[in-house]
Amino acid sequence: MTTTKHVKSVSGITVRLAGDSGDGMQLLGTQLTNTSALAGNDVATFPDFPAEIRAPRGTRAGVSGFQVQFAKEEIFTPGDTLDALVVMNPAALVTNIQDLRKGGILIANEDGFTDKDFKLAKVDANPLEATVINDSYRLIKVPMTQLTRTAVSEHGLSPKIADRCKNFFAMGLVYWLFGRSLDPTLRFIENKFGKKPDVASANIAALRAGWAFGETTEAFGESYQVEAAELSPGTYRNIMGNQALAWGLVAASKLSKKDLFYGTYPITPASDILHELTKHKNFGVRTFQAEDEISAMCATIGAAFGGTMAVTASSGPGIALKAEAMGLGMMLELPMVVVNVQRGGPSTGLPTKTEQSDLLQAMFGRNGESPIPVIAPRSPADCFDMAIEAWRIATECMVPVMLLSDGYIANGSEPWKIPTLDSLPQIEIQHPVDSNDGEPFLPYLRDENMGRPWAIPGTEGLMHRVGGLEKEHQTGNVSYDPANHQLMTETRAAKVAKIAERIPEQEVYGESSGDLLVVSWGGTYGACLTAVRRCQEAGHRVSHAHLRYLNPMPRNLGDLLKSFDRVLVPELNMGQLRMLLRSAYLVDCIGYNKVQGKPFAVSELIEQIEALVPAAVAV
């Protein structure tokens, strides 16, 4: 469908869709994202879910949002200020309007602004009539519910079912406004609702009605078009972090010629990894939903002992429950991957909001001296690569590896360049097939990586002890000898530290010395990189180092930190990485910390950077 109105070309658009958790905002946002990706735009998203499973309808606690930025140039965040905001009720308006830029487009479903809705949202009057709204933004009031009912009236739906189609009406209007094709969503509707032809035809009618409203109303004088981005050649698809992580785990199992066992207990925001893995039984994936986190961890240890690729996942509260058994896995020196998709804490905390407050838990949250490697992806697509890397490290060193994702990465999405098979690293695993030249089998005899043999149970001549009691060096027999405990403790720590010899040195975006180094980890990557880029363009001597390896850290990191006058560490916690850097390298890092359940805005980081560097030199 082609518009007859004026089309304005822009470099990028940031839009947020917000409404009640039953209004279909996540579906609308997902479809807008996929359509933009198919159009060749670079895309970044940020879904925002209510913290309660079913918050009271119409309340501020029940608002569900989805933000997407699509652009013709490479982007790394879902955007700061909004160019457009679509709201379905007063609660969505009052909780999101502060992020809409002055002069931005505000589209409101005026049918959702009734006296009852005002009471639920705890507003005294209709916010759409407020002077500050009408003077500050381009307000477009649309009777979406009424128009949707009219559009689907011929399809025999009840009023309740008909009203559910209004998200497709909103979708059609947004598609018209930003020059998106209807075709991908039409195919989606046919595939999803094919067995309910009346619902499918009603949703299609609502979608087309929304597009037609944008084309015919006088409220919009023009629409906007974002041209395709110039990305490196290859085949791309849009991918979410949890999906990429699941696919990375499957790829790692095939690269190592191991079936995948995934033992878990559902928890937000890690559950989607389980949901995705259950779809891939044809690749030798076995999923096990245990009765609790402890049994899930213990089952994962059993799978590792049996010679399978063993993985478990949870979030902070569940990781706390897994801690003792993780220590057992470390003591047994068996390879496994423990995924922690971090969320706001402590305790139940903010279960649907993002945070990165589990770093110290990952490093030290087990009793005794219990070091394990810790790595962290930087973006949704990077979850694929880091899942493979976690398994590689685990098998090379015979140790559980913690992979720290977070809610922002897990639920966000971006274009992912599908790799070729020959570009992926092979993971070679050798199991001993007999004892050492007829000598008794030594289960803790170490190789060049300080890893012990991974003996498969039942292999003749390889019987050995396992358990949580201290092991005698090489033989694995139970030992209470003080000197042996010292030796084994130091050996396990040295094994993890030695990994630094086989991971990449820390890369720097910018010069290797200067006024300020911004150090980030996890989901803060995109905001930090974008902020540093803009400060460099303004003439500041600032660089960026993003850590994907947290234990051990890259071997050149200490020298790099000391090459800058100041070091800024932005974190969505109260300063956990900063504490580790200060302790390890005696560098007085400066923290910038935020625990609001929201990611950093690029503008926030630019303000902090500019406060710490000298005035920019005119170019």
Side-chain angles (χ1 to χ4, degrees):
M1 301 174 71
T2 305
T3 181
T4 59
K5 293 185 178 179
H6 177 257
V7 178
K8 181 179 180 180
S9 182
V10 293
S11 61
I13 290 290
T14 300
V15 58
R16 184 181 298 165
L17 316 153
D20 191 80
S21 58
D23 284 337
M25 294 298 98
Q26 301 301 323
L27 175 61
L28 199 168
T30 301
Q31 286 301 304
L32 178 59
T33 301
N34 291 340
T35 301
S36 299
L38 288 170
N41 299 135
D42 198 6
V43 181
T45 70
F46 179 54
D48 189 23
F49 306 95
E52 300 175 45
I53 294 175
R54 174 53 71 180
R57 186 172 179 82
T59 64
R60 300 188 185 198
V63 173
S64 175
F66 194 106
Q67 182 170 321
V68 55
Q69 180 181 193
F70 48 95
K72 68 176 184 180
E73 56 193 23
E74 190 176 23
I75 56 175
F76 299 95
T77 76
D80 276 11
T81 55
L82 307 174
D83 298 303
L85 173 64
V86 180
V87 297
M88 306 302 280
N89 59 28
L93 174 62
V94 297
T95 55
N96 289 278
I97 190 64
Q98 69 277 4
D99 295 327
L100 182 62
R101 65 173 175 81
K102 300 301 180 185
I105 299 172
L106 174 60
I107 301 173
N109 174 23
E110 62 179 336
D111 291 337
F113 284 71
T114 66
D115 290 339
K116 178 182 178 181
D117 296 304
F118 303 151
K119 183 177 180 180
L120 290 170
K122 297 184 178 179
V123 295
D124 297 328
N126 189 347
L128 297 180
E129 297 176 358
T131 301
V132 65
I133 295 292
N134 288 272
D135 290 350
S136 301
Y137 312 107
R138 291 177 55 194
L139 173 61
I140 312 294
K141 293 187 285 187
V142 184
M144 292 187 193
T145 304
Q146 177 185 337
L147 291 173
T148 301
R149 288 179 179 177
T150 301
V152 305
S153 59
E154 298 179 356
H155 299 280
L157 303 180
S158 68
K160 181 178 180 181
I161 300 299
D163 286 353
R164 289 181 182 176
C165 298
K166 68 178 180 290
N167 64 324
F168 282 97
F169 181 95
M171 196 181 303
L173 176 56
V174 170
Y175 280 16
W176 175 86
L177 184 59
F178 299 120
R180 308 289 91 178
S181 171
L182 298 183
D183 292 342
T185 299
L186 291 173
R187 291 194 296 269
F188 166 80
I189 292 173
E190 292 172 356
N191 290 332
K192 183 173 180 62
F193 301 105
K195 296 181 179 179
K196 298 179 179 179
D198 53 341
V199 175
S201 57
N203 283 330
I204 290 173
L207 180 71
R208 294 188 182 278
W211 195 96
F213 179 85
E215 178 68 11
T216 57
T217 182
E218 296 181 0
F220 296 104
E222 61 185 6
S223 63
Y224 303 87
Q225 181 66 42
V226 179
E227 301 298 330
E230 294 184 4
L231 303 175
S232 61
T235 302
Y236 288 81
R237 63 154 292 149
N238 190 56
I239 198 165
M240 297 178 66
N242 275 342
Q243 183 183 40
L245 204 156
W247 288 9
L249 292 173
V250 174
S253 75
K254 291 304 176 184
L255 292 168
S256 60
K257 299 180 175 60
K258 288 287 180 184
D259 284 348
L260 170 58
F261 174 88
Y262 185 76
T264 192
Y265 182 79
I267 185 171
T268 300
S271 297
D272 282 341
I273 302 173
L274 171 63
H275 301 158
E276 182 63 31
L277 286 175
T278 58
K279 303 174 183 177
H280 302 293
K281 295 179 181 178
N282 57 308
F283 288 121
V285 177
R286 294 174 174 84
T287 55
F288 169 60
Q289 181 176 317
E291 65 268 28
D292 55 42
E293 297 283 8
I294 299 172
S295 57
M297 186 69 231
C298 290
T300 302
I301 292 173
F305 178 67
T308 297
M309 179 180 174
V311 185
T312 189
S314 189
S315 192
I319 296 297
L321 291 170
K322 293 179 187 291
E324 181 183 0
M326 286 171 59
L328 174 60
M330 188 278 310
M331 193 81 168
L332 297 174
E333 300 190 49
L334 288 171
M336 61 195 79
V337 176
V338 181
V339 178
N340 181 356
V341 186
Q342 300 165 95
R343 70 189 202 185
S347 187
T348 307
L350 306 174
T352 62
K353 311 301 180 183
T354 195
E355 204 166 279
Q356 36 180 190
S357 293
D358 296 349
L359 177 56
L360 295 183
Q361 180 190 38
M363 292 285 291
F364 309 117
R366 296 164 297 281
N367 65 294
E369 295 290 334
S370 185
I372 62 172
V374 180
I375 64 176
R378 65 189 184 188
S379 68
D382 193 43
C383 288
F384 179 86
D385 294 327
M386 294 307 277
I388 296 174
E389 180 69 351
W391 182 237
R392 182 191 69 81
I393 293 173
T395 55
E396 278 189 1
C397 303
M398 292 293 290
V399 64
V401 174
M402 174 79 78
L403 191 154
L404 283 177
S405 180
D406 57 57
Y408 176 79
I409 293 174
N411 294 319
S413 65
E414 64 178 347
W416 173 56
K417 184 178 179 180
I418 301 174
T420 59
L421 184 60
D422 58 5
S423 70
L424 299 176
Q426 295 299 312
I427 301 175
E428 300 292 340
I429 297 176
Q430 298 292 334
H431 295 290
V433 294
D434 53 32
S435 57
N436 303 305
D437 298 325
E439 298 296 324
F441 176 60
L442 298 176
Y444 285 84
L445 183 67
R446 302 182 183 278
D447 60 18
E448 66 276 10
N449 297 325
M450 302 184 71
R452 76 176 188 89
W454 190 5
I456 302 298
T459 305
E460 186 176 354
L462 303 188
M463 187 181 296
H464 60 282
R465 290 176 179 268
V466 294
L469 295 174
E470 184 58 280
K471 306 293 182 296
E472 185 179 59
H473 175 56
Q474 294 191 346
T475 70
N477 294 328
V478 174
S479 172
Y480 294 97
D481 177 59
N484 179 77
H485 180 54
Q486 179 86 35
L487 173 63
M488 292 296 283
T489 299
E490 292 174 348
T491 299
R492 289 188 288 261
K495 177 174 69 171
V496 173
K498 189 176 175 61
I499 296 170
E501 300 174 2
R502 305 187 303 282
I503 61 175
E505 291 193 346
Q506 181 60 48
E507 297 180 348
V508 185
Y509 180 79
E511 300 296 327
S512 57
S513 63
D515 295 326
L516 180 71
L517 178 67
V518 177
V519 180
S520 60
W521 71 279
T524 60
Y525 167 76
C528 289
L529 177 60
T530 304
V532 167
R533 278 187 166 185
R534 293 182 185 175
C535 288
Q536 289 176 347
E537 292 168 357
H540 294 297
R541 298 179 65 239
V542 57
S543 298
H544 178 221
H546 184 85
L547 302 182
R548 298 161 81 213
Y549 299 89
L550 297 163
N551 190 41
M553 294 181 184
R555 54 192 177 277
N556 65 325
L557 182 60
D559 291 337
L560 179 62
L561 296 175
K562 294 172 183 177
S563 298
F564 288 82
D565 295 341
R566 291 183 173 182
V567 176
L568 174 66
V569 186
E571 296 181 81
L572 299 179
N573 59 45
M574 295 306 293
Q576 297 186 16
L577 177 61
R578 178 186 61 189
M579 179 190 300
L580 295 175
L581 294 177
R582 281 177 166 179
S583 173
Y585 303 112
L586 303 181
V587 173
D588 188 19
C589 302
I590 302 165
Y592 178 50
N593 306 103
K594 179 178 178 179
V595 282
Q596 300 175 13
K598 297 180 178 181
F600 283 119
V602 173
S603 56
E604 293 175 323
L605 295 169
I606 291 175
E607 182 179 349
Q608 290 297 312
I609 291 170
E610 291 182 338
L612 294 172
V613 296
V617 178
V619 179

